[in-house]
Amino acid sequence: MTVVKSTLPEKALRVTATALQDTLVDLLGLSLIGKQAHWNIVGPRFRSIHLQLDEVVATARAHSDTVAERAAALGVSPDGRPETIAATLALPGAKDGWLKDTDVVELMVSALETAIGRLRERIAATDEPDPVTQDLLIAITADLEKERWMFAAENQPH
C-alpha cells in the first residue's frame, strides 16, 4: 500500500530510502547505547559523563525523528521497530553490567565514529539522487562529530 507518493524518481528513491532507513537504525541504536551506558556508568567522572550521555541520546532521538519524517514525506515507511534495530544495528554496543567511566568514553567514541563513517558513505550516495536528504545527513554528521570530539577529549591525559 502506498499512502504518500514520492517526488523522487524510483531509482533515486531507492538510494534515498536505504540511506534514511540505515541512518534511522544507527540513530535509534546510538540512543539505546547511550542510555544503557547512562544507567550503568560508574567511576569518578560519573556525573559529568552521565549528563553528557543524555546529550547524545537527545541529539540522536531528535535526529531520528527528523530522519523518519523525511522518509515518510518521500513515501517511505520508516521502520524503527525494536526487532529491526536488533537485527540490523552495526554500531558497537555496551557490555552487560556496570561500566567504568573510561570504558564508557571509549564505547561512545567508537559508536560515534562508526555512525559518522556510515553517515559519510550515505552523504556520498545521496549527492545526486536527493540533495535534500544529503543536506540532512550532513547536519546530523556535524552534530555527531561534535559529540565524538567531546567524548574523545575525556580520556586524554592532562
Side-chain angles (χ1 to χ4, degrees), residues 85-98:
I85 307 308
T88 60
L89 185 63
L91 305 181
K95 293 183 277 182
D96 189 24
W98 302 112

Side-chain angles (χ1 to χ4, degrees), residues 68-149:
E69 289 177 353
R70 174 71 183 151
L74 292 174
V76 176
S77 175
D79 188 355
R81 296 172 300 151
E83 57 270 26
T84 300
I85 307 308
T88 60
L89 185 63
L91 305 181
K95 293 183 277 182
D96 189 24
W98 302 112
L99 303 168
K100 287 177 37 182
D101 53 2
T102 53
D103 294 340
V104 168
V105 169
E106 289 175 15
L107 168 66
M108 293 310 297
V109 168
S110 178
L112 286 161
E113 282 178 358
T114 302
I116 290 162
R118 291 168 53 82
L119 274 163
R120 288 190 172 279
E121 291 170 5
R122 294 179 206 125
I123 289 167
T126 55
D127 178 37
E128 186 155 330
D130 187 16
V132 175
T133 295
Q134 182 193 46
D135 188 53
L136 172 62
L137 299 177
I138 290 168
I140 295 167
T141 302
D143 284 349
L144 295 187
E145 285 179 335
K146 179 181 176 185
E147 296 294 346
R148 186 219 159 269
W149 158 59

Side-chain angles (χ1 to χ4, degrees), residues 15-29:
V15 171
T16 303
T18 298
L20 289 166
Q21 179 60 39
D22 291 349
T23 301
L24 179 61
V25 168
D26 283 356
L27 290 168
L28 292 173

Side-chain angles (χ1 to χ4, degrees), residues 55-74:
E55 292 175 19
V56 172
V57 170
T59 297
R61 286 182 178 170
H63 282 307
S64 68
D65 191 51
T66 302
V67 166
E69 289 177 353
R70 174 71 183 151
L74 292 174

Side-chain angles (χ1 to χ4, degrees), residues 6 8-15:
S6 178
L8 295 176
E10 186 59 36
K11 183 179 176 185
L13 181 60
R14 281 193 307 272
V15 171

